[in-house]
Amino acid sequence: MQKLGSVPDTVQVAVRIRPLSTQELAGGHHNVIIQPNSAEPRLIARGAEEFTFTEVYGPTVSQAEVYDRSVRDIVLKLLQGFNVSILAYGQTGSGKTYTIGTSFDGRITNQTGILPRALLDIFDAVNAPPEGDGSSASYRVFCSFMELYQEHVYDLLSHRNRYEGLLGIREDIEGVIVPGLTELAVSSAEETFRWLMHGASSRATAPTRMNKESNRSHTIFTVIIRSRRKTTATAEEHMRISKLHFVDLAGSERAKKSRASGVRLRECIQINKGLLALGNVISALASSSGTSPRKSARATFVSYRDSKLTRLLQNSLGGNSITLMLACVSPADYNIEETISTLRYADRALSIRNKPARTPPASMSQSSSMAEVERLSKTVSQLRTENDQLRQRIAAELKPAIEAGLVGGKNGTGRHLAAQNRLLHGQLQSSIEESTRNELRASIAENALGRLEPLVLHELCTDYDDLTSMAPLSGDELRTKCEEILLRYRTEYEALLQRPTAQHRSTLH
């Protein structure tokens, strides 16, 4: 792991200018964004307005260079216990999804975005040999993928259908959380790639006049690291949880330009509404960062609750996260108004001050509840894996029946097929019940984990008064709450075990 270096306390902003498209060149459009010196992060728009950012990448800069210069260092802060957020912001068709890499196809090429590259670096660091500093570390990696479409949150990694994967947002001790969001344990970059592609295939997309593959929703792909470090000298073990969010925002668009109507128009309105709320938050945070203590609280109020998007990004903007905004812009003259708007918002974001801090370590010896959190997390991952195996087994068992049905239709062996069908139906019923039972067990464990983990983290944060403004619970109060949650979990689990299976019901008849 890298040594703890400097951590930026303001939002870092990198502007990326896409090249003019073939259609734009054929239409006679020209470039109105100029970078006078490629070695300086300075832009001139429309020949008059000048902007300076953390980094500026011209149309010829490669994906690898963007990652190496702006992303790699902050991604590796994840393993040091920091939360990290990377946002792609800009108008539709400006290259946000291309830059982030949520449309990854499974092949690492020169066109691969920053997300797959980050996953490769994370797993290289996680699997690296231990350092000779008298301590040993182990890591468990998880991922989640959510979509915000027309102010509704969807779980893109859920095995349920789209509408059963609808989720809510609530606030807890640790901030804004999404209860029930699927978090999958992953052991390699390749496995994470598969889940990334699986989730991206369910994302809401549609062609518009501005972009033939326009994303109609905002997505957040999250990598969670649970690190456990044991000191040889004291034999004390600590655990940290840190998160890396890749936020691919839907592009702003003008209905007149995109000629949206019907469903596309409603999507456009919701997208712009969320981005407007985000712009207001950016402006309020930029103003408050330069506000003197004498100014009223009214002047520095930040309205995160105006949109679900701003609630989800609350920790990334003005929170304890290291944040990078990738502002993607079009250089074409007919997009100048949208480009200027993006650059102005990006310029304001430079003034936002976050409070990056390492997540407080949890002493495994101090809290038996933390061990229970870890056990429940493992249970959830194990049950998800078993469910996938059961589904594959069901598909394999149905295949011979389908093939036999086709042959039987020709040879007239109806009785044999009927008997085989009854046998397979019984096996299928048992498999479905076993899958459902495992899913219920996973759901019970997830619910318990969701209630227990914030309490445990809150207990362990009491030594970090500068990181939390919540009043600490007493030892008895915390113990009582944890025991209530665990008792409820065990009661629900035992009730599930006592449910009769199909085999038991058949013996009763």
Side-chain angles (χ1 to χ4, degrees):
M1 185 187 302
Q2 292 187 344
K3 292 182 179 180
L4 188 65
S6 61
V7 177
D9 61 353
T10 59
V11 172
Q12 304 294 288
V13 177
V15 173
R16 190 173 196 191
I17 308 168
R18 70 160 173 81
L20 290 170
S21 68
T22 305
Q23 292 85 352
E24 288 168 340
L25 291 172
H29 296 291
H30 61 277
N31 192 338
V32 291
I33 303 295
I34 299 173
Q35 185 179 7
N37 185 346
S38 59
E40 296 179 0
R42 189 166 61 92
L43 285 177
I44 298 177
R46 205 160 40 186
E49 292 195 56
E50 185 172 326
F51 301 89
T52 301
F53 299 99
T54 311
E55 292 282 0
V56 170
Y57 299 109
T60 60
V61 175
S62 67
Q63 296 274 63
E65 186 174 349
V66 173
Y67 179 76
D68 291 338
R69 285 169 55 182
S70 290
V71 182
R72 186 191 301 274
D73 287 345
I74 64 172
V75 162
L76 294 179
K77 296 291 184 186
L78 179 71
L79 275 74
Q80 298 173 357
F82 290 93
N83 293 322
V84 180
S85 298
I86 300 173
L87 298 83
Y89 180 86
Q91 79 171 108
T92 184
S94 59
K96 300 180 300 299
T97 298
Y98 172 77
T99 300
I100 286 286
T102 44
S103 58
F104 181 58
D105 62 0
R107 296 173 298 171
I108 300 294
T109 67
N110 292 336
Q111 306 302 316
T112 300
I114 63 174
L115 199 167
R117 295 175 189 272
L119 292 174
L120 290 171
D121 276 351
I122 288 170
F123 280 98
D124 283 346
V126 163
N127 297 322
E131 299 175 346
D133 59 355
S135 64
S136 59
S138 62
Y139 302 92
R140 299 193 69 222
V141 185
F142 300 81
C143 69
S144 67
F145 203 178
M146 77 175 84
E147 174 186 49
L148 180 60
Y149 175 71
Q150 296 201 42
E151 285 296 289
H152 296 296
V153 180
Y154 296 92
D155 185 351
L156 294 180
L157 298 185
S158 173
H159 67 275
R160 304 180 181 92
N161 68 47
R162 180 173 178 82
Y163 296 101
E164 288 179 345
L166 194 62
L167 302 172
I169 301 176
R170 65 183 177 88
E171 295 186 28
D172 212 320
I173 295 171
E174 59 178 5
V176 177
I177 61 172
V178 182
L181 180 65
T182 301
E183 290 185 1
L184 298 170
V186 286
S187 56
S188 66
E190 291 70 25
E191 182 182 2
T192 317
F193 292 162
R194 290 195 291 272
W195 287 117
L196 170 62
M197 292 185 290
H198 171 78
S201 66
S202 303
R203 184 176 183 178
T205 60
T208 67
R209 185 170 177 265
M210 297 289 293
N211 186 355
K212 64 180 180 180
E213 293 182 1
S214 175
N215 290 317
R216 315 306 292 167
S217 63
H218 314 293
T219 59
I220 303 177
F221 186 89
T222 303
V223 180
I224 304 106
I225 300 285
R226 296 175 185 267
S227 60
R228 298 174 67 168
R229 182 172 290 273
K230 187 174 183 179
T231 306
T232 306
T234 62
E236 190 174 5
E237 191 173 18
H238 290 84
M239 178 178 179
R240 288 184 193 271
I241 299 175
S242 51
K243 298 181 180 182
L244 167 60
H245 302 291
F246 291 94
V247 184
D248 184 7
L249 298 172
S252 60
E253 61 183 67
R254 295 186 179 184
K256 185 176 180 180
K257 264 191 178 183
S258 63
R259 295 182 183 175
S261 61
V263 175
R264 300 288 86 81
L265 180 59
R266 290 195 294 273
E267 292 170 344
C268 175
I269 292 170
Q270 290 297 333
I271 289 170
N272 290 338
K273 180 181 176 183
L275 293 175
L276 176 62
L278 176 61
N280 291 337
V281 165
I282 289 173
S283 297
L285 287 169
S287 299
S288 64
S289 296
T291 301
S292 66
R294 296 181 181 179
K295 287 199 175 182
S296 66
R298 180 183 178 87
T300 60
F301 175 72
V302 181
S303 54
Y304 289 107
R305 302 184 70 86
D306 285 353
S307 166
K308 286 185 178 179
L309 175 63
T310 50
R311 290 186 68 191
L312 289 170
L313 298 181
Q314 186 168 340
N315 187 56
S316 303
L317 299 170
N320 68 351
S321 174
I322 299 173
T323 300
L324 168 68
M325 174 184 283
L326 292 165
C328 299
V329 297
S330 163
D333 52 353
Y334 73 104
N335 286 327
I336 187 61
E337 296 302 327
E338 292 90 340
T339 297
I340 291 291
S341 176
T342 299
L343 293 175
R344 286 173 180 168
Y345 275 127
D347 187 55
R348 289 180 194 141
L350 273 173
S351 303
I352 298 175
R353 289 194 173 275
N354 284 358
K355 299 175 283 294
R358 301 174 76 186
T359 55
S363 175
M364 304 296 287
S365 60
Q366 290 175 357
S367 175
S368 60
S369 300
M370 182 58 75
E372 184 68 10
V373 168
E374 185 73 5
R375 189 187 68 78
L376 287 171
S377 180
K378 289 180 180 178
T379 300
V380 170
S381 297
Q382 181 183 353
L383 291 173
R384 297 291 186 199
T385 303
E386 290 177 6
N387 261 357
D388 289 338
Q389 293 172 348
L390 280 170
R391 292 174 188 279
Q392 293 172 6
R393 197 175 88 189
I394 290 170
E397 289 175 350
L398 285 175
K399 187 177 179 180
I402 295 172
E403 292 175 350
L406 293 174
V407 175
K410 296 177 181 178
N411 299 336
T413 55
R415 292 182 183 177
H416 173 70
L417 288 175
Q420 189 177 30
N421 185 55
R422 284 194 296 271
L423 176 63
L424 288 171
H425 180 75
Q427 293 174 348
L428 178 61
Q429 186 66 27
S430 297
S431 297
I432 290 173
E433 286 199 356
E434 187 178 353
S435 176
T436 303
R437 187 179 294 270
N438 278 345
E439 182 59 35
L440 286 171
R441 286 176 60 195
S443 179
I444 292 169
E446 275 185 331
N447 288 336
L449 178 61
R451 292 190 296 268
L452 182 61
E453 188 173 38
L455 286 172
V456 175
L457 292 177
H458 180 53
E459 173 199 15
L460 299 164
C461 282
T462 55
D463 294 331
Y464 294 79
D465 294 334
D466 57 325
L467 300 183
T468 177
S469 60
M470 301 295 296
L473 299 173
S474 70
D476 290 339
E477 288 174 331
L478 180 68
R479 193 176 301 107
T480 301
K481 286 182 176 291
C482 289
E483 287 174 353
E484 287 175 357
I485 293 172
L486 294 175
L487 177 61
R488 179 175 174 181
Y489 165 69
R490 293 191 183 101
T491 302
E492 291 177 347
Y493 179 59
E494 288 170 2
L496 177 63
L497 291 179
Q498 292 172 5
R499 290 189 183 184
T501 63
Q503 184 178 4
H504 291 156
R505 287 194 294 270
S506 63
T507 58
L508 293 177
H509 296 293

